[in-house]
Amino acid sequence: MKPTTDEVLEWAREAGFERHDYMLNYPKELERFAALAYAAGAAAMKERAAKECETEAAVAVVNAPEDYQAGREMGATVCAAAIRALGDDDE
C-alpha cells in the first residue's frame, strides 16, 4: 500500500524537516519518493522471506522418507514463489 501525502509529510517532519524546508514545498514529489522507498523495502523483505523458504527446502530431514522430503521441498518452493508474487496485482 502506497503511503499517503499526509503520512509522508509527517515522516518528513519526524525526520527533522521543517515547514520552510525546500522538500516540503513539493509534497507530491516527496510522496513519490516515499512510495519508491517503501516499494524497495517491501521488495527486499519479500525476497528475504522467499530465500528463507528456499533455504528450508534445501534442508534434508534425517531418516525421513523420500516422498516426505520431496513434499517439503515442493511446499517450500511454492511458498517462495507465493511470497515473491505478493502484491503483484497491486503494482
PDB file of all heavy atoms in Angstrom, residues 1 38-39 41-50 53 78-91:
ATOM      1  N   MET A   1       0.840  -1.180   0.000  1.00  0.00           N
ATOM      2  CA  MET A   1       0.000   0.000   0.000  1.00  0.00           C
ATOM      3  C   MET A   1       0.885   1.244   0.000  1.00  0.00           C
ATOM      4  O   MET A   1       1.805   1.356   0.789  1.00  0.00           O
ATOM      5  CB  MET A   1      -0.902  -0.029   1.227  1.00  0.00           C
ATOM      6  CG  MET A   1      -1.907   1.076   1.250  1.00  0.00           C
ATOM      7  SD  MET A   1      -3.217   0.753   2.424  1.00  0.00           S
ATOM      8  CE  MET A   1      -2.610   1.609   3.835  1.00  0.00           C
ATOM      9  N   TYR A  38       9.386   2.833  -0.047  1.00  0.00           N
ATOM     10  CA  TYR A  38       8.537   1.785   0.542  1.00  0.00           C
ATOM     11  C   TYR A  38       8.545   0.534  -0.338  1.00  0.00           C
ATOM     12  O   TYR A  38       8.707  -0.585   0.155  1.00  0.00           O
ATOM     13  CB  TYR A  38       7.114   2.321   0.691  1.00  0.00           C
ATOM     14  CG  TYR A  38       6.147   1.324   1.276  1.00  0.00           C
ATOM     15  CD1 TYR A  38       6.012   1.196   2.647  1.00  0.00           C
ATOM     16  CD2 TYR A  38       5.369   0.528   0.455  1.00  0.00           C
ATOM     17  CE1 TYR A  38       5.123   0.276   3.188  1.00  0.00           C
ATOM     18  CE2 TYR A  38       4.478  -0.392   0.983  1.00  0.00           C
ATOM     19  CZ  TYR A  38       4.352  -0.513   2.354  1.00  0.00           C
ATOM     20  OH  TYR A  38       3.489  -1.426   2.871  1.00  0.00           O
ATOM     21  N   ALA A  39       8.401   0.714  -1.640  1.00  0.00           N
ATOM     22  CA  ALA A  39       8.386  -0.423  -2.568  1.00  0.00           C
ATOM     23  C   ALA A  39       9.724  -1.161  -2.549  1.00  0.00           C
ATOM     24  O   ALA A  39       9.760  -2.397  -2.585  1.00  0.00           O
ATOM     25  CB  ALA A  39       8.060   0.059  -3.981  1.00  0.00           C
ATOM     26  N   GLY A  41      11.825  -1.326  -0.059  1.00  0.00           N
ATOM     27  CA  GLY A  41      11.892  -2.060   1.206  1.00  0.00           C
ATOM     28  C   GLY A  41      11.009  -3.290   1.196  1.00  0.00           C
ATOM     29  O   GLY A  41      11.404  -4.366   1.663  1.00  0.00           O
ATOM     30  N   ALA A  42       9.813  -3.151   0.645  1.00  0.00           N
ATOM     31  CA  ALA A  42       8.890  -4.287   0.568  1.00  0.00           C
ATOM     32  C   ALA A  42       9.456  -5.380  -0.326  1.00  0.00           C
ATOM     33  O   ALA A  42       9.389  -6.571   0.001  1.00  0.00           O
ATOM     34  CB  ALA A  42       7.526  -3.827   0.052  1.00  0.00           C
ATOM     35  N   ALA A  43      10.050  -4.998  -1.447  1.00  0.00           N
ATOM     36  CA  ALA A  43      10.643  -5.979  -2.361  1.00  0.00           C
ATOM     37  C   ALA A  43      11.798  -6.708  -1.688  1.00  0.00           C
ATOM     38  O   ALA A  43      11.931  -7.933  -1.822  1.00  0.00           O
ATOM     39  CB  ALA A  43      11.115  -5.292  -3.641  1.00  0.00           C
ATOM     40  N   ALA A  44      12.606  -5.978  -0.943  1.00  0.00           N
ATOM     41  CA  ALA A  44      13.734  -6.599  -0.246  1.00  0.00           C
ATOM     42  C   ALA A  44      13.239  -7.582   0.818  1.00  0.00           C
ATOM     43  O   ALA A  44      13.794  -8.676   0.969  1.00  0.00           O
ATOM     44  CB  ALA A  44      14.617  -5.526   0.388  1.00  0.00           C
ATOM     45  N   MET A  45      12.185  -7.210   1.538  1.00  0.00           N
ATOM     46  CA  MET A  45      11.637  -8.106   2.565  1.00  0.00           C
ATOM     47  C   MET A  45      11.013  -9.348   1.944  1.00  0.00           C
ATOM     48  O   MET A  45      11.168 -10.459   2.460  1.00  0.00           O
ATOM     49  CB  MET A  45      10.604  -7.375   3.430  1.00  0.00           C
ATOM     50  CG  MET A  45      11.218  -6.353   4.353  1.00  0.00           C
ATOM     51  SD  MET A  45      12.437  -7.053   5.500  1.00  0.00           S
ATOM     52  CE  MET A  45      11.410  -8.136   6.459  1.00  0.00           C
ATOM     53  N   LYS A  46      10.308  -9.176   0.818  1.00  0.00           N
ATOM     54  CA  LYS A  46       9.731 -10.337   0.126  1.00  0.00           C
ATOM     55  C   LYS A  46      10.831 -11.289  -0.314  1.00  0.00           C
ATOM     56  O   LYS A  46      10.708 -12.506  -0.130  1.00  0.00           O
ATOM     57  CB  LYS A  46       8.907  -9.902  -1.091  1.00  0.00           C
ATOM     58  CG  LYS A  46       7.577  -9.301  -0.757  1.00  0.00           C
ATOM     59  CD  LYS A  46       6.650  -9.057  -1.929  1.00  0.00           C
ATOM     60  CE  LYS A  46       7.205  -8.822  -3.258  1.00  0.00           C
ATOM     61  NZ  LYS A  46       6.230  -8.474  -4.286  1.00  0.00           N
ATOM     62  N   GLU A  47      11.889 -10.753  -0.880  1.00  0.00           N
ATOM     63  CA  GLU A  47      12.984 -11.602  -1.365  1.00  0.00           C
ATOM     64  C   GLU A  47      13.665 -12.315  -0.203  1.00  0.00           C
ATOM     65  O   GLU A  47      13.998 -13.494  -0.295  1.00  0.00           O
ATOM     66  CB  GLU A  47      13.986 -10.779  -2.167  1.00  0.00           C
ATOM     67  CG  GLU A  47      15.055 -11.602  -2.832  1.00  0.00           C
ATOM     68  CD  GLU A  47      14.533 -12.688  -3.768  1.00  0.00           C
ATOM     69  OE1 GLU A  47      13.414 -12.566  -4.313  1.00  0.00           O
ATOM     70  OE2 GLU A  47      15.241 -13.684  -3.953  1.00  0.00           O
ATOM     71  N   ARG A  48      13.842 -11.615   0.894  1.00  0.00           N
ATOM     72  CA  ARG A  48      14.461 -12.232   2.079  1.00  0.00           C
ATOM     73  C   ARG A  48      13.611 -13.392   2.595  1.00  0.00           C
ATOM     74  O   ARG A  48      14.127 -14.459   2.911  1.00  0.00           O
ATOM     75  CB  ARG A  48      14.649 -11.172   3.156  1.00  0.00           C
ATOM     76  CG  ARG A  48      15.362 -11.662   4.365  1.00  0.00           C
ATOM     77  CD  ARG A  48      15.626 -10.524   5.323  1.00  0.00           C
ATOM     78  NE  ARG A  48      16.216 -11.032   6.534  1.00  0.00           N
ATOM     79  CZ  ARG A  48      16.477 -10.298   7.587  1.00  0.00           C
ATOM     80  NH1 ARG A  48      16.222  -9.004   7.555  1.00  0.00           N
ATOM     81  NH2 ARG A  48      16.993 -10.821   8.662  1.00  0.00           N
ATOM     82  N   ALA A  49      12.310 -13.190   2.667  1.00  0.00           N
ATOM     83  CA  ALA A  49      11.408 -14.247   3.129  1.00  0.00           C
ATOM     84  C   ALA A  49      11.394 -15.422   2.148  1.00  0.00           C
ATOM     85  O   ALA A  49      11.412 -16.589   2.560  1.00  0.00           O
ATOM     86  CB  ALA A  49       9.995 -13.692   3.309  1.00  0.00           C
ATOM     87  N   ALA A  50      11.379 -15.131   0.855  1.00  0.00           N
ATOM     88  CA  ALA A  50      11.383 -16.197  -0.152  1.00  0.00           C
ATOM     89  C   ALA A  50      12.666 -17.018  -0.071  1.00  0.00           C
ATOM     90  O   ALA A  50      12.632 -18.251  -0.185  1.00  0.00           O
ATOM     91  CB  ALA A  50      11.220 -15.598  -1.546  1.00  0.00           C
ATOM     92  N   CYS A  53      12.475 -19.548   2.630  1.00  0.00           N
ATOM     93  CA  CYS A  53      11.737 -20.736   2.184  1.00  0.00           C
ATOM     94  C   CYS A  53      12.642 -21.646   1.374  1.00  0.00           C
ATOM     95  O   CYS A  53      12.648 -22.871   1.574  1.00  0.00           O
ATOM     96  CB  CYS A  53      10.524 -20.344   1.342  1.00  0.00           C
ATOM     97  SG  CYS A  53       9.221 -19.536   2.254  1.00  0.00           S
ATOM     98  N   VAL A  78       6.935 -23.634  -3.458  1.00  0.00           N
ATOM     99  CA  VAL A  78       5.655 -22.959  -3.717  1.00  0.00           C
ATOM    100  C   VAL A  78       5.520 -21.748  -2.802  1.00  0.00           C
ATOM    101  O   VAL A  78       5.069 -20.671  -3.227  1.00  0.00           O
ATOM    102  CB  VAL A  78       4.477 -23.950  -3.534  1.00  0.00           C
ATOM    103  CG1 VAL A  78       3.149 -23.215  -3.505  1.00  0.00           C
ATOM    104  CG2 VAL A  78       4.495 -24.999  -4.628  1.00  0.00           C
ATOM    105  N   CYS A  79       5.931 -21.907  -1.554  1.00  0.00           N
ATOM    106  CA  CYS A  79       5.884 -20.799  -0.594  1.00  0.00           C
ATOM    107  C   CYS A  79       6.740 -19.629  -1.078  1.00  0.00           C
ATOM    108  O   CYS A  79       6.301 -18.472  -1.062  1.00  0.00           O
ATOM    109  CB  CYS A  79       6.368 -21.289   0.771  1.00  0.00           C
ATOM    110  SG  CYS A  79       6.391 -20.018   2.030  1.00  0.00           S
ATOM    111  N   ALA A  80       7.954 -19.916  -1.532  1.00  0.00           N
ATOM    112  CA  ALA A  80       8.851 -18.866  -2.027  1.00  0.00           C
ATOM    113  C   ALA A  80       8.230 -18.142  -3.219  1.00  0.00           C
ATOM    114  O   ALA A  80       8.261 -16.909  -3.295  1.00  0.00           O
ATOM    115  CB  ALA A  80      10.210 -19.464  -2.409  1.00  0.00           C
ATOM    116  N   ALA A  81       7.637 -18.886  -4.136  1.00  0.00           N
ATOM    117  CA  ALA A  81       7.006 -18.272  -5.313  1.00  0.00           C
ATOM    118  C   ALA A  81       5.817 -17.405  -4.905  1.00  0.00           C
ATOM    119  O   ALA A  81       5.619 -16.308  -5.445  1.00  0.00           O
ATOM    120  CB  ALA A  81       6.571 -19.348  -6.302  1.00  0.00           C
ATOM    121  N   ALA A  82       5.034 -17.885  -3.942  1.00  0.00           N
ATOM    122  CA  ALA A  82       3.866 -17.115  -3.480  1.00  0.00           C
ATOM    123  C   ALA A  82       4.293 -15.819  -2.807  1.00  0.00           C
ATOM    124  O   ALA A  82       3.676 -14.766  -3.023  1.00  0.00           O
ATOM    125  CB  ALA A  82       3.035 -17.965  -2.525  1.00  0.00           C
ATOM    126  N   ILE A  83       5.358 -15.869  -2.031  1.00  0.00           N
ATOM    127  CA  ILE A  83       5.859 -14.651  -1.377  1.00  0.00           C
ATOM    128  C   ILE A  83       6.331 -13.650  -2.422  1.00  0.00           C
ATOM    129  O   ILE A  83       6.021 -12.464  -2.344  1.00  0.00           O
ATOM    130  CB  ILE A  83       6.992 -14.993  -0.388  1.00  0.00           C
ATOM    131  CG1 ILE A  83       6.410 -15.711   0.834  1.00  0.00           C
ATOM    132  CG2 ILE A  83       7.755 -13.741   0.030  1.00  0.00           C
ATOM    133  CD1 ILE A  83       7.444 -16.314   1.755  1.00  0.00           C
ATOM    134  N   ARG A  84       7.052 -14.128  -3.408  1.00  0.00           N
ATOM    135  CA  ARG A  84       7.537 -13.221  -4.459  1.00  0.00           C
ATOM    136  C   ARG A  84       6.391 -12.597  -5.255  1.00  0.00           C
ATOM    137  O   ARG A  84       6.513 -11.487  -5.761  1.00  0.00           O
ATOM    138  CB  ARG A  84       8.494 -13.961  -5.386  1.00  0.00           C
ATOM    139  CG  ARG A  84       9.834 -14.222  -4.742  1.00  0.00           C
ATOM    140  CD  ARG A  84      10.836 -14.798  -5.713  1.00  0.00           C
ATOM    141  NE  ARG A  84      12.130 -14.928  -5.080  1.00  0.00           N
ATOM    142  CZ  ARG A  84      12.683 -16.099  -4.732  1.00  0.00           C
ATOM    143  NH1 ARG A  84      12.056 -17.244  -4.994  1.00  0.00           N
ATOM    144  NH2 ARG A  84      13.857 -16.124  -4.143  1.00  0.00           N
ATOM    145  N   ALA A  85       5.286 -13.313  -5.348  1.00  0.00           N
ATOM    146  CA  ALA A  85       4.137 -12.818  -6.122  1.00  0.00           C
ATOM    147  C   ALA A  85       3.252 -11.870  -5.311  1.00  0.00           C
ATOM    148  O   ALA A  85       2.387 -11.211  -5.888  1.00  0.00           O
ATOM    149  CB  ALA A  85       3.295 -13.990  -6.635  1.00  0.00           C
ATOM    150  N   LEU A  86       3.447 -11.783  -4.017  1.00  0.00           N
ATOM    151  CA  LEU A  86       2.630 -10.905  -3.182  1.00  0.00           C
ATOM    152  C   LEU A  86       2.633  -9.475  -3.717  1.00  0.00           C
ATOM    153  O   LEU A  86       3.679  -8.917  -3.994  1.00  0.00           O
ATOM    154  CB  LEU A  86       3.129 -10.881  -1.747  1.00  0.00           C
ATOM    155  CG  LEU A  86       2.804 -12.096  -0.906  1.00  0.00           C
ATOM    156  CD1 LEU A  86       3.534 -12.006   0.444  1.00  0.00           C
ATOM    157  CD2 LEU A  86       1.317 -12.214  -0.677  1.00  0.00           C
ATOM    158  N   GLY A  87       1.470  -8.917  -3.866  1.00  0.00           N
ATOM    159  CA  GLY A  87       1.359  -7.527  -4.292  1.00  0.00           C
ATOM    160  C   GLY A  87       1.513  -7.290  -5.782  1.00  0.00           C
ATOM    161  O   GLY A  87       1.394  -6.157  -6.223  1.00  0.00           O
ATOM    162  N   ASP A  88       1.791  -8.322  -6.561  1.00  0.00           N
ATOM    163  CA  ASP A  88       1.967  -8.126  -7.996  1.00  0.00           C
ATOM    164  C   ASP A  88       0.721  -7.534  -8.655  1.00  0.00           C
ATOM    165  O   ASP A  88       0.828  -6.740  -9.566  1.00  0.00           O
ATOM    166  CB  ASP A  88       2.338  -9.439  -8.703  1.00  0.00           C
ATOM    167  CG  ASP A  88       3.795  -9.804  -8.477  1.00  0.00           C
ATOM    168  OD1 ASP A  88       4.534  -8.980  -7.905  1.00  0.00           O
ATOM    169  OD2 ASP A  88       4.179 -10.906  -8.882  1.00  0.00           O
ATOM    170  N   ASP A  89      -0.447  -7.889  -8.160  1.00  0.00           N
ATOM    171  CA  ASP A  89      -1.679  -7.370  -8.752  1.00  0.00           C
ATOM    172  C   ASP A  89      -1.972  -5.949  -8.295  1.00  0.00           C
ATOM    173  O   ASP A  89      -2.785  -5.253  -8.886  1.00  0.00           O
ATOM    174  CB  ASP A  89      -2.864  -8.271  -8.460  1.00  0.00           C
ATOM    175  CG  ASP A  89      -3.037  -8.562  -6.968  1.00  0.00           C
ATOM    176  OD1 ASP A  89      -2.164  -8.178  -6.175  1.00  0.00           O
ATOM    177  OD2 ASP A  89      -4.050  -9.178  -6.619  1.00  0.00           O
ATOM    178  N   ASP A  90      -1.276  -5.456  -7.254  1.00  0.00           N
ATOM    179  CA  ASP A  90      -1.463  -4.097  -6.746  1.00  0.00           C
ATOM    180  C   ASP A  90      -0.572  -3.089  -7.458  1.00  0.00           C
ATOM    181  O   ASP A  90      -0.820  -1.907  -7.429  1.00  0.00           O
ATOM    182  CB  ASP A  90      -1.159  -4.023  -5.260  1.00  0.00           C
ATOM    183  CG  ASP A  90      -2.141  -4.831  -4.431  1.00  0.00           C
ATOM    184  OD1 ASP A  90      -3.238  -5.115  -4.938  1.00  0.00           O
ATOM    185  OD2 ASP A  90      -1.813  -5.162  -3.276  1.00  0.00           O
ATOM    186  N   GLU A  91       0.501  -3.550  -8.073  1.00  0.00           N
ATOM    187  CA  GLU A  91       1.519  -2.637  -8.604  1.00  0.00           C
ATOM    188  C   GLU A  91       1.270  -2.254 -10.033  1.00  0.00           C
ATOM    189  O   GLU A  91       0.538  -2.530 -10.788  1.00  0.00           O
ATOM    190  CB  GLU A  91       2.894  -3.279  -8.479  1.00  0.00           C
ATOM    191  CG  GLU A  91       3.234  -3.493  -7.030  1.00  0.00           C
ATOM    192  CD  GLU A  91       4.516  -4.310  -6.823  1.00  0.00           C
ATOM    193  OE1 GLU A  91       5.025  -4.906  -7.770  1.00  0.00           O
ATOM    194  OE2 GLU A  91       4.962  -4.332  -5.685  1.00  0.00           O
TER     195      GLU A  91
END
